[in-house]
Amino acid sequence: MHYPGPDFTPWPPDVARRYRRAGYWRGEPLHQWLRDLAARHGDRVAVVGGEARWTYRELARRADRLAAGLRERGVRRGDRFIVQLPNVPEFFAVVFALFRLGALPVFALPAHRRSEISYFAELTGAVGYAVADRYAGFDYRGLAREVHAAAPGLAHVLVAGDPGEFTALSDVDAEPADLPAGPEASDVAFLNISGGSTGLPKLIPRTHDDYLYSVRASAGICGLDESGVYLCVLPVAHNFSLSSPGVLGALHAGGRVVLAARPAPEEAFPLIAREGVTITALVPPLAKVWLDAVPHRRPDLSSLRVVQVGGARLSDEVAARVRPTFGCALQQVFGMAEGLVNYTRLDDPDELVVTTQGRPISPDDEIRIVDQHDDEVPAGQTGQLLTRGPYTVRGYYRAAEHNAVAFTPDGFYRTGDLVRRTPTGHLVVEGRAKDQINRGGEKIAAEEVENHLLAHPAVLDVAVVAVPDPVLGERTCAVVVPRGEPPAPAALRAFLRGRGLADFKIPDRVQLVPAFPLTGVGKVSKSVLRSRLAAALAAGG
Ligand code: J2J
């Protein structure tokens, strides 16, 4: 299948020159970066996960041997390789091995299922797929079997743990003596997943240069140094936990990464005490769960310096509880896998930390807040956020048509977020213009779920919208106009599961209606649907 559009939309040459001259892009590819870290911090512990404690040297050695093993099996520079690993140390060996070869990891979330993974395989023409044997009660070898049957191009299925009929990751091992030269820093290093707002998920090509800049600058903003211990509780491959400053930021500082298999307080709190964790990153619903757990569990959190919260809007009330309850600083993080990341700073006054979502990393992050005609709104007013800068991409992977609407002609990314800016330059997220549901940090493109539901014979029309939720912030509701006999909600959910859709995208509620409220131009009015549903919910419906 041929996909229109380039794999990668480069920055204009004069802009790229400017970013290099400013020292943002340093010409260092990620595998070289790891080698330098290993030279500097060799015997220090880099990654802790389960029983494993890998030093920097050990991590670099494993990545090199795995790279040589993959090379022997035919993996080449420019190949794509789907990586769907949970929070296990092998994640690092695999991605740095791929970086070393110049093959591109395609980051998938542990929650993704056949629908998402098959699509990534098809879109990217991936040659391989790395999974864990089992995780959170799910057997990924079964998923690999299904995906492989539909995408025979996936020549290498690698399994961390018991491989079944596939290849054990530990068997991919060779002397790294004559590996060819690795990729350039200006090359695309990997494909990130976008939250998405369209029918099919989008992939985001990030270069070594641009990503490392965001990691380095983020580590600085978060005050990470060799004494830093980062606890990774969110999925490691998510942009937040990978780079803001995340696991890579902790490595950059010569600190230690601690991987939590599950984010629940009973797992995370003992790890914080045992490892002396200094910083961690949470989504708002998880922050609430942790805050509520502190009075009962009385954990030793005395090592914590910073708790970051981001991925979805944190309410001011919950934000205000963080410092008194955890005894450390709160940092709000408003970021996106496409690039731009905003942080409240550690020396910001409390008022700003509690009520804003921070300000951009870079002095060269360009921010425009505009109305529906792309005209800037007056200072302090709410509008749509557009951005471009030294670590914000200029286009999605193989998506020419979508790029024409998702980016302005002069290269600004349309975030779809509604924000206002305070006089201090901090952004406050006021809402969203994109057709997406943010379910406690997990992003759901309404159109993607709608397209699946439209394939059901008893669904004439459907609109997937957000309904307010006290725990998650938002949940999903599929509003369905039936064709003939109304389908049972449970049957629709089972139908979506059967189509291999990730669980978090399965609608929480299904509402049957005879017809949709229409806008003036005859389109479904989702805003009317949303307010009707919210009103019905508030009234106890
Ligand atoms: C409101 N909405 C937010 C916040 C993200 C750091 C942190 C988060 C992400 C992330 C990330 C928000 N308040 N604090 O990649 O590096 C919503 C916005 C945004 C979208 C991006 C990082 N923080 N959001 O969440 O690519 O709508 O990245 O455009 O998953 O999440 O989602 P994603």
Side-chain angles (χ1 to χ4, degrees), residues 132-169:
D133 49 3
R134 296 182 65 82
Y135 173 72
F138 183 76
D139 193 327
Y140 286 85
R141 293 160 299 191
L143 175 57
R145 216 165 285 139
E146 291 179 51
V147 171
H148 188 250
L154 282 179
H156 316 280
V157 177
L158 309 182
V159 182
D162 174 1
E165 73 264 43
F166 302 113
T167 305
L169 202 51

Short mmCIF file of all heavy atoms in Angstrom, two decimals, residues 132-169:
data_model
loop_
_atom_site.label_atom_id
_atom_site.label_comp_id
_atom_site.label_asym_id
_atom_site.label_seq_id
_atom_site.Cartn_x
_atom_site.Cartn_y
_atom_site.Cartn_z
N ALA A 132 6.53 -7.75 25.59
CA ALA A 132 6.81 -8.59 26.76
C ALA A 132 5.92 -9.83 26.64
O ALA A 132 4.91 -9.79 25.92
CB ALA A 132 6.50 -7.84 28.04
N ASP A 133 6.28 -10.91 27.33
CA ASP A 133 5.43 -12.10 27.23
C ASP A 133 4.03 -11.82 27.78
O ASP A 133 3.03 -11.95 27.10
CB ASP A 133 6.10 -13.32 27.90
CG ASP A 133 6.64 -13.07 29.30
OD1 ASP A 133 6.48 -11.94 29.83
OD2 ASP A 133 7.25 -14.00 29.86
N ARG A 134 4.01 -11.41 29.07
CA ARG A 134 2.73 -11.08 29.70
C ARG A 134 2.91 -9.80 30.48
O ARG A 134 3.99 -9.51 30.98
CB ARG A 134 2.32 -12.16 30.70
CG ARG A 134 2.06 -13.51 30.11
CD ARG A 134 1.62 -14.48 31.20
NE ARG A 134 0.31 -14.06 31.75
CZ ARG A 134 -0.85 -14.36 31.16
NH1 ARG A 134 -0.88 -15.06 30.07
NH2 ARG A 134 -1.98 -13.95 31.69
N TYR A 135 1.85 -9.05 30.59
CA TYR A 135 1.92 -7.85 31.41
C TYR A 135 0.49 -7.45 31.77
O TYR A 135 -0.38 -7.47 30.90
CB TYR A 135 2.64 -6.71 30.67
CG TYR A 135 2.58 -5.40 31.39
CD1 TYR A 135 3.33 -5.19 32.55
CD2 TYR A 135 1.76 -4.38 30.92
CE1 TYR A 135 3.26 -3.98 33.21
CE2 TYR A 135 1.69 -3.17 31.59
CZ TYR A 135 2.44 -2.98 32.73
OH TYR A 135 2.37 -1.78 33.39
N ALA A 136 0.28 -7.11 33.04
CA ALA A 136 -1.03 -6.70 33.54
C ALA A 136 -2.13 -7.68 33.11
O ALA A 136 -3.20 -7.28 32.66
CB ALA A 136 -1.35 -5.27 33.08
N GLY A 137 -1.82 -8.96 33.21
CA GLY A 137 -2.83 -9.98 32.95
C GLY A 137 -3.10 -10.23 31.48
O GLY A 137 -4.02 -10.96 31.13
N PHE A 138 -2.31 -9.62 30.60
CA PHE A 138 -2.55 -9.78 29.16
C PHE A 138 -1.36 -10.48 28.52
O PHE A 138 -0.20 -10.17 28.83
CB PHE A 138 -2.77 -8.42 28.52
CG PHE A 138 -3.09 -8.48 27.05
CD1 PHE A 138 -4.35 -8.86 26.61
CD2 PHE A 138 -2.11 -8.18 26.10
CE1 PHE A 138 -4.65 -8.93 25.26
CE2 PHE A 138 -2.41 -8.24 24.75
CZ PHE A 138 -3.68 -8.62 24.32
N ASP A 139 -1.65 -11.43 27.62
CA ASP A 139 -0.59 -12.16 26.94
C ASP A 139 -0.32 -11.53 25.57
O ASP A 139 -1.14 -11.63 24.66
CB ASP A 139 -1.00 -13.63 26.77
CG ASP A 139 0.18 -14.50 26.36
OD1 ASP A 139 1.05 -13.98 25.63
OD2 ASP A 139 0.21 -15.67 26.76
N TYR A 140 0.83 -10.85 25.47
CA TYR A 140 1.15 -10.13 24.23
C TYR A 140 1.55 -11.06 23.10
O TYR A 140 1.58 -10.66 21.94
CB TYR A 140 2.23 -9.07 24.50
CG TYR A 140 1.66 -7.89 25.24
CD1 TYR A 140 1.55 -7.90 26.63
CD2 TYR A 140 1.16 -6.78 24.56
CE1 TYR A 140 0.97 -6.85 27.31
CE2 TYR A 140 0.59 -5.72 25.24
CZ TYR A 140 0.50 -5.76 26.61
OH TYR A 140 -0.09 -4.71 27.28
N ARG A 141 1.88 -12.32 23.43
CA ARG A 141 2.23 -13.25 22.35
C ARG A 141 0.99 -13.57 21.51
O ARG A 141 1.07 -13.75 20.30
CB ARG A 141 2.86 -14.52 22.93
CG ARG A 141 4.21 -14.23 23.57
CD ARG A 141 4.61 -15.29 24.53
NE ARG A 141 3.65 -15.42 25.63
CZ ARG A 141 3.84 -16.14 26.72
NH1 ARG A 141 4.97 -16.79 26.86
NH2 ARG A 141 2.93 -16.20 27.68
N GLY A 142 -0.17 -13.60 22.18
CA GLY A 142 -1.42 -13.81 21.44
C GLY A 142 -1.68 -12.65 20.50
O GLY A 142 -2.07 -12.84 19.33
N LEU A 143 -1.44 -11.45 21.00
CA LEU A 143 -1.62 -10.26 20.16
C LEU A 143 -0.63 -10.29 18.99
O LEU A 143 -0.99 -10.03 17.84
CB LEU A 143 -1.40 -9.00 21.01
CG LEU A 143 -1.44 -7.65 20.29
CD1 LEU A 143 -2.75 -7.45 19.54
CD2 LEU A 143 -1.20 -6.50 21.29
N ALA A 144 0.62 -10.65 19.30
CA ALA A 144 1.65 -10.72 18.25
C ALA A 144 1.24 -11.72 17.16
O ALA A 144 1.45 -11.50 15.97
CB ALA A 144 3.00 -11.10 18.85
N ARG A 145 0.65 -12.81 17.58
CA ARG A 145 0.20 -13.84 16.64
C ARG A 145 -0.83 -13.24 15.66
O ARG A 145 -0.73 -13.40 14.45
CB ARG A 145 -0.45 -14.96 17.45
CG ARG A 145 -0.23 -16.35 16.93
CD ARG A 145 -0.60 -17.37 18.01
NE ARG A 145 0.41 -17.45 19.07
CZ ARG A 145 0.14 -17.57 20.37
NH1 ARG A 145 -1.12 -17.60 20.81
NH2 ARG A 145 1.12 -17.63 21.26
N GLU A 146 -1.79 -12.52 16.22
CA GLU A 146 -2.84 -11.92 15.38
C GLU A 146 -2.25 -10.86 14.45
O GLU A 146 -2.58 -10.80 13.26
CB GLU A 146 -3.89 -11.23 16.25
CG GLU A 146 -4.75 -12.16 17.07
CD GLU A 146 -5.75 -11.34 17.89
OE1 GLU A 146 -6.44 -10.49 17.32
OE2 GLU A 146 -5.79 -11.53 19.12
N VAL A 147 -1.39 -10.02 15.01
CA VAL A 147 -0.82 -8.94 14.21
C VAL A 147 0.05 -9.52 13.11
O VAL A 147 0.01 -9.10 11.95
CB VAL A 147 -0.01 -7.97 15.10
CG1 VAL A 147 0.76 -6.96 14.25
CG2 VAL A 147 -0.92 -7.25 16.09
N HIS A 148 0.82 -10.52 13.47
CA HIS A 148 1.74 -11.13 12.52
C HIS A 148 0.99 -11.79 11.37
O HIS A 148 1.40 -11.71 10.20
CB HIS A 148 2.62 -12.16 13.24
CG HIS A 148 3.72 -12.69 12.40
ND1 HIS A 148 3.73 -13.98 11.93
CD2 HIS A 148 4.82 -12.10 11.91
CE1 HIS A 148 4.81 -14.16 11.19
NE2 HIS A 148 5.50 -13.03 11.16
N ALA A 149 -0.15 -12.41 11.69
CA ALA A 149 -0.95 -13.07 10.64
C ALA A 149 -1.41 -12.04 9.61
O ALA A 149 -1.47 -12.32 8.41
CB ALA A 149 -2.14 -13.78 11.25
N ALA A 150 -1.71 -10.82 10.08
CA ALA A 150 -2.22 -9.79 9.17
C ALA A 150 -1.09 -9.00 8.51
O ALA A 150 -1.29 -8.34 7.50
CB ALA A 150 -3.16 -8.86 9.93
N ALA A 151 0.09 -9.01 9.12
CA ALA A 151 1.21 -8.22 8.61
C ALA A 151 2.45 -9.11 8.55
O ALA A 151 3.33 -9.02 9.40
CB ALA A 151 1.46 -7.01 9.52
N PRO A 152 2.53 -9.96 7.54
CA PRO A 152 3.64 -10.92 7.46
C PRO A 152 5.00 -10.24 7.30
O PRO A 152 6.04 -10.89 7.51
CB PRO A 152 3.29 -11.78 6.24
CG PRO A 152 2.16 -11.10 5.54
CD PRO A 152 1.56 -10.10 6.45
N GLY A 153 5.01 -8.93 6.95
CA GLY A 153 6.27 -8.20 6.83
C GLY A 153 7.00 -8.08 8.15
O GLY A 153 8.19 -7.76 8.20
N LEU A 154 6.29 -8.30 9.25
CA LEU A 154 6.92 -8.24 10.57
C LEU A 154 7.79 -9.49 10.75
O LEU A 154 7.38 -10.46 11.38
CB LEU A 154 5.85 -8.24 11.67
CG LEU A 154 5.09 -6.97 11.97
CD1 LEU A 154 4.07 -7.22 13.06
CD2 LEU A 154 6.04 -5.85 12.39
N ALA A 155 8.99 -9.42 10.22
CA ALA A 155 9.84 -10.62 10.21
C ALA A 155 10.35 -10.99 11.59
O ALA A 155 10.61 -12.15 11.88
CB ALA A 155 11.01 -10.40 9.26
N HIS A 156 10.51 -9.99 12.46
CA HIS A 156 11.13 -10.25 13.77
C HIS A 156 10.15 -9.93 14.88
O HIS A 156 9.84 -8.75 15.10
CB HIS A 156 12.37 -9.38 13.95
CG HIS A 156 13.24 -9.34 12.74
ND1 HIS A 156 14.12 -10.34 12.41
CD2 HIS A 156 13.33 -8.42 11.75
CE1 HIS A 156 14.73 -10.04 11.29
NE2 HIS A 156 14.27 -8.88 10.85
N VAL A 157 9.65 -10.95 15.55
CA VAL A 157 8.84 -10.70 16.75
C VAL A 157 9.69 -11.10 17.95
O VAL A 157 10.05 -12.28 18.10
CB VAL A 157 7.51 -11.47 16.72
CG1 VAL A 157 6.74 -11.24 18.02
CG2 VAL A 157 6.67 -11.05 15.52
N LEU A 158 10.07 -10.11 18.75
CA LEU A 158 10.98 -10.35 19.87
C LEU A 158 10.21 -10.24 21.18
O LEU A 158 9.41 -9.32 21.35
CB LEU A 158 12.10 -9.31 19.88
CG LEU A 158 12.86 -9.11 18.58
CD1 LEU A 158 13.97 -8.08 18.78
CD2 LEU A 158 13.43 -10.44 18.09
N VAL A 159 10.46 -11.17 22.07
CA VAL A 159 9.69 -11.22 23.31
C VAL A 159 10.63 -11.11 24.51
O VAL A 159 11.59 -11.88 24.62
CB VAL A 159 8.88 -12.52 23.41
CG1 VAL A 159 8.04 -12.53 24.69
CG2 VAL A 159 7.99 -12.70 22.19
N ALA A 160 10.35 -10.15 25.39
CA ALA A 160 11.05 -10.09 26.67
C ALA A 160 10.37 -11.11 27.58
O ALA A 160 9.19 -10.97 27.87
CB ALA A 160 10.97 -8.69 27.26
N GLY A 161 11.12 -12.15 27.99
CA GLY A 161 10.53 -13.22 28.79
C GLY A 161 10.37 -14.46 27.92
O GLY A 161 11.15 -14.69 26.99
N ASP A 162 9.35 -15.25 28.23
CA ASP A 162 9.13 -16.53 27.53
C ASP A 162 8.58 -16.26 26.12
O ASP A 162 7.48 -15.75 25.96
CB ASP A 162 8.13 -17.34 28.37
CG ASP A 162 7.70 -18.62 27.67
OD1 ASP A 162 8.18 -18.89 26.55
OD2 ASP A 162 6.87 -19.33 28.25
N PRO A 163 9.34 -16.65 25.08
CA PRO A 163 8.97 -16.21 23.73
C PRO A 163 7.86 -17.02 23.05
O PRO A 163 7.36 -16.60 22.02
CB PRO A 163 10.29 -16.37 22.95
CG PRO A 163 10.99 -17.49 23.64
CD PRO A 163 10.61 -17.39 25.10
N GLY A 164 7.49 -18.18 23.63
CA GLY A 164 6.55 -19.00 22.87
C GLY A 164 7.16 -19.35 21.53
O GLY A 164 8.34 -19.70 21.45
N GLU A 165 6.39 -19.21 20.44
CA GLU A 165 6.92 -19.56 19.10
C GLU A 165 7.80 -18.46 18.52
O GLU A 165 8.33 -18.60 17.42
CB GLU A 165 5.78 -19.89 18.15
CG GLU A 165 4.95 -18.71 17.67
CD GLU A 165 3.69 -18.49 18.49
OE1 GLU A 165 3.75 -18.59 19.74
OE2 GLU A 165 2.63 -18.22 17.88
N PHE A 166 7.96 -17.33 19.22
CA PHE A 166 8.73 -16.21 18.68
C PHE A 166 10.18 -16.24 19.17
O PHE A 166 10.64 -17.25 19.71
CB PHE A 166 8.03 -14.88 19.04
CG PHE A 166 6.62 -14.81 18.52
CD1 PHE A 166 5.55 -14.79 19.41
CD2 PHE A 166 6.37 -14.80 17.16
CE1 PHE A 166 4.24 -14.74 18.93
CE2 PHE A 166 5.06 -14.75 16.67
CZ PHE A 166 4.00 -14.72 17.57
N THR A 167 10.88 -15.12 19.02
CA THR A 167 12.30 -15.08 19.38
C THR A 167 12.47 -14.41 20.74
O THR A 167 11.91 -13.33 20.97
CB THR A 167 13.08 -14.26 18.32
OG1 THR A 167 12.82 -14.84 17.05
CG2 THR A 167 14.57 -14.26 18.61
N ALA A 168 13.25 -15.06 21.61
CA ALA A 168 13.53 -14.44 22.91
C ALA A 168 14.50 -13.28 22.69
O ALA A 168 15.49 -13.40 21.98
CB ALA A 168 14.14 -15.44 23.86
N LEU A 169 14.17 -12.16 23.31
CA LEU A 169 15.05 -10.98 23.22
C LEU A 169 16.48 -11.35 23.63
O LEU A 169 17.45 -10.91 23.02
CB LEU A 169 14.48 -9.92 24.16
CG LEU A 169 14.83 -8.47 23.93
CD1 LEU A 169 14.57 -8.05 22.49
CD2 LEU A 169 14.02 -7.62 24.88
#
